């Protein structure tokens, strides 16, 4: 274990990180998200993605991770300088001297020896990844309201058919105004050099060093590359100790029979997303048939073929109306299949900011907090929740509570609410949906926006 027994985050930071430099972060060396469709990478979810040099990967496939930019940033971190793209962490640390930012959590997962190696090794050296999230392409049969065309081919169709969403003042990065054609540089059937480089690196080195490989999308189970990789694990059993994890929306089009057959004998964690029930879930995650999703989850649970099944809840303004009922459902699965058979995480949505729960008025948020307290009261008496699930529930309740305090940026709130109305008015027209009928508890507030 990289962390000593009972060592606090701050003690760990002082013992391992601060002695290296004032800005060291293990993720810059050992972690990456790589979008092979767009040829982009980043060290964690906070810095903006940057382009991978397509010429460099022809001779050095590890350059899909070891980009010139990352090497420059590693050098900065070795010297204690702050890479600008990591602003998310610097902002948190600048609030108070001992504030713990994500760079501590993203560093603690690696061994002290590997971190020492990162600090003393010339920044020009290529580093083998230990944790990797990879997307082969953006093919997806869903077009969730908080997603955008960069990650979903169905979102691309929405924009191509109906044109850009208009009057979204807070959409500074223009997520909803164009089809993000640069997210899919190569057509289907064309050779994608980034995908080729990944396979080449995987075959030669990466499968020996990588501890965790998470395949994301789009919907990864709609990509032939995902099946190819699962197959690699099956035919090369024992050759790699990499933990394989797959994100899937488990929608109607996902071939569950094929999935169950493919993972037989392969250790896989499956991550799926949802955060509401019934028509509300189908409204938020457009393309979802809620009952099919629930049946698919039960089929996976019945099969017992997955090392872990994880439900990721993206907590947004709309899901709070039925998040408690959704979590009841997950807890009932725990009751039936066991505490470890299925887990949940509560990830608070920050972008698009006009879908954040912070724009809901105080009385509505209070009501929703009450529903979650009811959920906690009902279930905490059973020993079914993991510590991190309880912590995330506490964090969400704290978050709802904090944003209940008078808002100092009222103008911003008004702008976000206006964007919320403008977005969902267009979403209803394009997707043949009805906000007020789907969310009656929000209908009066929505009408007056
Ligand atoms: S310093 Fe922060 S933002 Fe930068 S890679 Fe590490 S965790 Fe991510």
């Amino acid at each position: 274990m990289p962390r000593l027994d009972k060592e606090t985050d701050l003690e760990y930071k002082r013992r391992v990180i601060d002695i290296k430099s004032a800005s060291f972060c293990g993720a810059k060396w050992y972690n990456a998200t790589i979008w092979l469709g767009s040829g982009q990478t980043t060290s964690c979810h906070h810095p903006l993605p940057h382009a991978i040099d397509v010429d460099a990967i022809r001779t050095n496939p590890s350059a899909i991770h070891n980009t010139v930019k990352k090497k420059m940033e590693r050098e900065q971190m070795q010297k204690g300088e702050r890479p600008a793209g990591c602003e998310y962490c610097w902002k948190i640390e600048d609030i108070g001297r001992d504030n713990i930012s994500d760079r501590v959590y993203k560093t603690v997962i690696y061994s002290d020896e590997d971190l020492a190696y990162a600090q003393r090794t010339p920044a020009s050296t290529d580093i083998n990844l230990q944790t990797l999230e990879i997307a082969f392409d953006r093919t997806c049969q869903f077009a969730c309201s908080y997603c955008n065309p960069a990650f979903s081919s169905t979102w691309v169709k929405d924009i191509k058919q109906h044109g850009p969403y208009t009057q979204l003042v807070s959409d500074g990065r223009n997520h909803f105004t164009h089809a993000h054609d640069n997210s899919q540089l190569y057509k289907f059937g064309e050779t994608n050099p980034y995908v080729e480089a990944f396979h080449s690196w995987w075959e030669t080195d990466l499968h020996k060093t990588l501890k965790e490989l998470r395949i994301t999308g789009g919907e990864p189970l709609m990509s032939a590359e995902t099946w190819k990789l699962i197959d690699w694990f099956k035919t090369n059993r024992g050759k790699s100790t990499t933990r394989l994890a797959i994100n899937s929306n488990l929608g109607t089009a996902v071939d569950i029979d094929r999935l169950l057959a493919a993972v037989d004998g392969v250790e896989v964690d499956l991550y799926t997303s949802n955060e509401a029930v019934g028509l509300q879930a189908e409204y938020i995650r457009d393309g979802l048939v809620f009952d099919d999703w629930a049946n698919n989850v039960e089929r996976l649970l019945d099969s017992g073929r997955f090392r872990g099944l994880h439900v990721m809840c993206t907590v947004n303004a709309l899901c709070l109306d039925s998040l408690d009922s959704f979590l009841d459902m997950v807890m009932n699965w725990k009751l039936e299949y066991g505490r470890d058979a299925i887990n949940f995480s509560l990830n608070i949505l920050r972008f698009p900011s006009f879908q954040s729960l912070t724009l809901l008025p105080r009385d509505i948020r209070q009501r929703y907090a009450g529903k979650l307290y009811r959920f906690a009261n009902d279930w905490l008496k059973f020993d079914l929740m993991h510590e991190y699930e309880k912590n995330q529930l506490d964090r969400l309740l704290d978050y709802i509570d904090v944003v209940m305090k008078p808002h100092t940026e009222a103008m911003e709130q008004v702008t976000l609410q206006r964007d919320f109305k403008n977005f969902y008015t267009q979403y209803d027209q394009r997707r043949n949906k009805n906000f007020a009928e789907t969310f009656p508890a929000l209908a009066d507030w929505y009408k007056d926006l």
Side-chain angles (χ1 to χ4, degrees):
M1 273 291 287
R3 192 198 289 262
L4 300 177
D5 241 9
K6 299 202 173 100
E7 191 175 40
T8 65
D9 293 338
L10 188 57
E11 285 162 352
Y12 171 80
K13 178 172 177 281
R14 287 182 179 147
R15 179 177 64 82
V16 176
I17 301 181
D18 292 352
I19 59 156
K20 293 184 175 51
S21 86
S23 61
F24 182 89
C25 172
K28 201 58 82 185
W29 282 260
Y30 297 119
N31 183 65
T33 297
I34 305 178
W35 294 273
L36 297 168
S38 61
Q40 291 189 311
T41 183
T42 184
S43 305
C44 79
H45 283 108
H46 302 309
L48 283 177
H50 62 273
I52 297 164
D53 182 345
V54 73
D55 293 325
I57 61 174
R58 294 190 206 282
T59 49
N60 173 18
S62 92
I64 57 172
H65 162 54
N66 292 299
T67 59
V68 171
K69 184 174 168 65
K70 281 192 199 173
K71 287 179 175 177
M72 279 167 49
E73 292 177 341
R74 287 173 196 161
E75 190 173 1
Q76 281 184 289
M77 285 185 167
Q78 286 173 332
K79 293 181 187 160
E81 296 164 10
R82 294 174 157 191
C86 296
E87 169 203 36
Y88 181 86
C89 284
W90 317 137
K91 269 192 182 153
I92 289 174
E93 292 177 23
D94 288 346
I95 295 170
R97 202 165 56 95
D98 290 337
N99 264 18
I100 301 296
S101 69
D102 270 11
R103 77 184 168 102
V104 174
Y105 304 120
K106 303 258 181 212
T107 299
V108 71
I109 56 176
Y110 307 110
S111 74
D112 289 0
E113 294 72 32
D114 289 339
L115 296 170
Y117 174 81
Q119 174 64 10
R120 70 169 180 263
T121 301
S124 56
T125 309
D126 289 330
I127 300 289
N128 273 337
L129 280 164
Q130 294 192 22
T131 45
L132 168 63
E133 184 178 66
I134 201 151
F136 288 108
D137 57 59
R138 62 173 167 176
T139 308
C140 186
Q141 79 281 39
F142 284 14
C144 304
S145 71
Y146 47 67
C147 188
N148 67 63
F151 303 104
S152 158
S153 51
T154 305
W155 249 111
V156 173
K157 283 184 200 147
D158 173 319
I159 297 291
K160 291 205 163 153
Q161 193 179 343
H162 303 286
Y165 280 67
T166 58
Q167 297 174 287
L168 298 180
V169 178
S170 61
D171 180 28
R173 290 191 196 157
N174 287 319
H175 286 121
F176 305 102
T177 57
H178 63 106
H180 295 252
D181 288 334
N182 60 357
S183 294
Q184 196 65 54
L185 297 175
Y186 299 87
K187 293 199 177 70
F188 288 99
E190 276 181 357
T191 302
N192 177 333
Y194 302 103
V195 173
E196 302 269 287
F198 166 75
H199 285 303
S200 161
W201 191 23
W202 174 255
E203 288 284 349
T204 51
D205 281 317
L206 201 53
H207 74 272
K208 297 176 201 154
T209 62
L210 198 62
K211 297 201 164 81
E212 189 177 300
L213 172 61
R214 176 123 159 215
I215 312 175
T216 184
E219 166 49 46
L221 293 177
M222 296 184 83
S223 164
E225 298 295 339
T226 303
W227 297 103
K228 188 169 148 187
L229 207 48
I230 301 174
D231 204 42
W232 187 96
F233 278 87
K234 203 163 189 164
T235 49
N236 292 279
R237 227 169 274 185
K239 200 171 166 189
S240 171
T241 53
T242 305
R243 285 175 72 99
L244 179 62
I246 301 169
N247 287 359
S248 173
N249 59 37
L250 292 183
T252 315
V254 172
D255 189 339
I256 299 294
D257 290 328
R258 184 180 181 190
L259 178 62
L260 291 177
V263 301
D264 193 12
V266 182
E267 300 237 309
V268 180
D269 283 281
L270 194 125
Y271 290 79
T272 188
S273 299
N274 222 333
E275 54 277 322
V277 298
L279 292 175
Q280 295 191 347
E282 291 173 6
Y283 184 97
I284 298 166
R285 297 180 59 73
D286 188 23
L288 172 80
V289 178
F290 186 77
D291 290 344
D292 288 352
W293 177 84
N295 287 337
N296 285 342
V297 170
E298 285 181 3
R299 287 195 62 194
L300 301 194
L301 286 168
D302 285 335
S303 77
R305 288 208 181 150
F306 290 84
R307 183 174 35 208
L309 195 49
H310 311 268
V311 182
M312 302 178 291
C313 305
T314 303
V315 183
N316 60 84
L318 298 186
C319 78
L320 288 177
D321 205 50
S322 61
L323 177 62
D324 63 319
S325 306
F326 179 74
L327 292 175
D328 283 338
M329 195 166 166
V330 176
M331 295 308 292
N332 276 312
W333 278 326
K334 277 178 181 278
L335 207 54
E336 185 176 349
Y337 293 93
R339 181 180 192 253
D340 298 328
I342 187 162
N343 307 307
F344 67 83
S345 61
L346 300 168
N347 312 300
I348 299 167
L349 176 135
R350 291 189 299 132
F351 299 106
S353 46
F354 62 82
Q355 294 183 35
S356 153
L357 65 92
T358 56
L359 58 77
L360 292 173
R362 185 189 171 91
D363 59 321
I364 293 178
R365 289 195 308 245
Q366 242 158 357
R367 205 178 328 132
Y368 289 157
K371 283 174 171 240
L372 288 170
Y373 281 116
R374 190 282 304 156
F375 164 79
N377 282 339
D378 283 0
W379 287 103
L380 282 176
K381 53 182 175 273
F382 298 94
D383 186 25
L384 286 171
M385 258 189 252
H386 291 278
E387 210 48 43
Y388 66 85
E389 291 171 320
K390 288 182 204 161
N391 289 343
Q392 294 203 352
L393 189 58
D394 280 350
R395 190 183 65 162
L396 175 60
L397 283 162
D398 278 353
Y399 191 81
I400 296 175
D401 203 35
V402 167
V403 295
M404 276 177 184
K405 295 196 169 67
H407 210 289
T408 47
E409 296 161 52
M411 263 310 288
E412 198 189 327
Q413 178 93 338
V414 169
T415 306
L416 293 178
Q417 288 177 345
R418 203 173 296 137
D419 279 359
F420 179 90
K421 178 81 179 259
N422 286 335
F423 177 83
Y424 284 112
T425 303
Q426 295 170 73
Y427 187 80
D428 278 1
Q429 286 159 357
R430 290 159 184 244
R431 312 289 180 88
N432 197 21
K433 294 187 184 293
N434 189 315
F435 183 99
E437 281 176 13
T438 315
F439 299 95
L442 297 175
D444 287 344
W445 167 73
Y446 183 74
K447 181 161 61 67
D448 294 338
L449 284 178

